[in-house]
Amino acid sequence: MEELLNEPKYETFQIPKKREGMRLIQAPEPVLMKMQSRLNFYLQNYYHMIAPKGVHGFVINPNKKEKLCNIVENAKIHVQQKQVLNIDLKDFFPSIKAYRVKELFLSEHFRYNEKIATALALLVTYEGKLPTGAPTSPVISNFICLQLDADLIDFCNENQINFSRYADDLTFSSNREITKEMVSSIYGIIKQNNFDVNTKKTRLK
C-alpha cells in the first residue's frame, strides 16, 4: 500500500482530441486501478446525493450503474434562448493539484483527519495533479467544482441566466443580453475558484 501511494505506477500515452491536438492519458496500473475504482463507487454515491442541478458531466448512480445526466440533458435548458455563451476551463484535470484534493478530504464534505486526507490525495493524484486516466478523477473534479458551481448559480440567478456544466464545458444562456460585463464577471468567478479560462474556446452567439 505504501509503495502504491509513494511510487504509483501509470502508463502514459496520447490520444487525438476530437478537434485538434493530442490528449495526454495517464492510466493507473491494474492494482491501483482496482483500488481507485472501489473508491470511485463510494465517491459517486455521495456526489449523486449532493450534485447541483445544473451539473451534467460524470454524474452517475453507481448502484444502478446508469448515467443520470448526459450531454443532451446539458443542452436542453439552452434551447431557443436568444444568447448562448460557451466557456471552456483550461487544462481541467491537470489544473486540479494534489493540495486541493487533500483540502477537499479535509473539508466539511468529508472531515477526514490529516493522515487519511493525505493518503487519499496520494492515492488519486499523479505527479501532483489529477491524472486524466484515473477512474476517480471525474468525480473528484466535480467535488472540487462545488464552490465554483454554487458561485456561478448565484450569479446566474441574479442575472436571469441559465447555467449548466458538463465537466470543463460551461454553458450560459438567456433571452436577455449577455453583456461583456457579465462575461467579465463570470471570468472573475472562475479565477476566484482557481481555474483558468481557455479564451480561444469562448463563444457568444
Side-chain angles (χ1 to χ4, degrees), residues 74-87 156 159-164 170-183 186 202-205:
N74 186 70
K76 278 184 178 179
I77 64 169
H78 306 294
V79 174
Q80 295 183 338
Q81 296 294 298
K82 289 183 178 179
Q83 285 206 297
V84 178
L85 169 67
N86 295 107
I87 293 177
C156 290
N159 291 276
Q160 299 180 27
I161 297 173
N162 301 310
F163 164 70
S164 67
L170 313 181
T171 306
F172 307 83
S173 67
S174 179
N175 280 323
R176 304 175 66 187
E177 181 186 5
I178 298 177
T179 66
K180 290 182 179 180
E181 289 75 16
M182 290 178 179
V183 176
I186 291 169
T202 297
R203 299 286 185 273
L204 178 60
K205 299 178 182 178

Side-chain angles (χ1 to χ4, degrees), residues 124-135:
V124 300
T125 59
Y126 180 57
E127 296 180 340
K129 57 186 180 292
L130 282 188
T132 305

Side-chain angles (χ1 to χ4, degrees), residues 190-204:
I190 292 169
K191 191 69 176 178
Q192 288 169 10
N193 281 275
N194 299 309
F195 288 102
D196 291 320
V197 174
N198 185 346
T199 54
K200 293 181 180 179
K201 292 187 177 182
T202 297
R203 299 286 185 273
L204 178 60

Side-chain angles (χ1 to χ4, degrees), residues 6 8 19 33 39 51 54 66 90 98 109 118 124 137 189:
N6 294 324
R19 295 183 179 178
M33 174 75 81
L39 177 59
E66 63 182 14
K90 186 177 180 181
H109 297 296
T118 300
V124 300
S137 292
I189 292 171

Side-chain angles (χ1 to χ4, degrees), residues 93-128:
F93 285 172
S95 73
I96 299 175
K97 307 302 182 185
Y99 79 89
R100 296 180 69 185
V101 178
K102 179 181 176 181
E103 288 175 353
L104 168 66
F105 289 123
L106 289 170
S107 74
E108 61 182 11
H109 297 296
F110 292 94
R111 298 184 180 180
Y112 289 132
N113 62 37
E114 182 84 13
K115 186 175 181 179
I116 294 176
T118 300
L120 288 172
L122 289 172
L123 181 65
V124 300
T125 59
Y126 180 57
E127 296 180 340

